[in-house]
Amino acid sequence: MEITSDFEPDVFHAISHRARREMLDQLTDDERSVSVIASHFSMSRPAVSQHLRILLDAGLVTERRHGRERRYRLVPEKLAPVRDWIAHYERFWDDHLQRLQNHLSKKNEK
């Protein structure tokens, strides 16, 4: 019997941890090795690697070997579901703030 997984990468789960978001922040400019990324955290290197694995599984980073190092690079287009979700709520707040502004303008005219 073959067991298959219905697992789909969950970008929201991947960015739910503060450390993983900070790791993504570090990768916005250029690729970084695990050691460089780990130097910014007080956690163990294996813990950093576990977080990077979650980001890798979600497709948010790529990994490549460079000599004895593993280097990670951000794949920003994989954050599109997050951008789309936030855009929905931006419209919500824009509408509500516009109505508040209209209400306050009318109140000040009286």
Side-chain angles (χ1 to χ4, degrees), residues 33-98:
S33 69
V34 176
S35 347
V36 170
I37 295 169
S39 69
H40 294 276
F41 296 94
S42 58
M43 66 179 81
S44 69
R45 189 170 160 162
V48 169
S49 292
Q50 285 180 338
H51 284 297
L52 287 168
R53 169 54 65 186
I54 291 169
L55 294 173
L56 185 66
D57 289 345
L60 293 171
V61 298
T62 59
E63 175 190 78
R64 75 176 180 92
R65 288 280 220 186
H66 183 79
R68 295 172 56 183
E69 293 182 330
R70 291 176 192 251
R71 292 187 178 179
Y72 292 86
R73 178 179 296 275
L74 177 66
V75 184
E77 59 271 18
K78 294 293 185 177
L79 287 167
V82 177
R83 181 197 61 216
D84 295 344
W85 185 77
I86 289 172
H88 172 74
Y89 287 97
E90 283 179 341
R91 286 190 302 270
F92 169 82
W93 282 111
D94 288 346
D95 290 347
H96 280 71
L97 291 173
Q98 185 62 47

Side-chain angles (χ1 to χ4, degrees), residues 12-30:
F12 290 96
H13 168 71
I15 64 167
S16 67
H17 196 283
R18 181 179 179 177
R20 291 193 288 269
R21 291 191 304 272
E22 290 176 10
M23 289 174 186
L24 292 176
D25 290 344
Q26 288 183 36
L27 297 171
T28 56
D29 297 335
D30 201 3

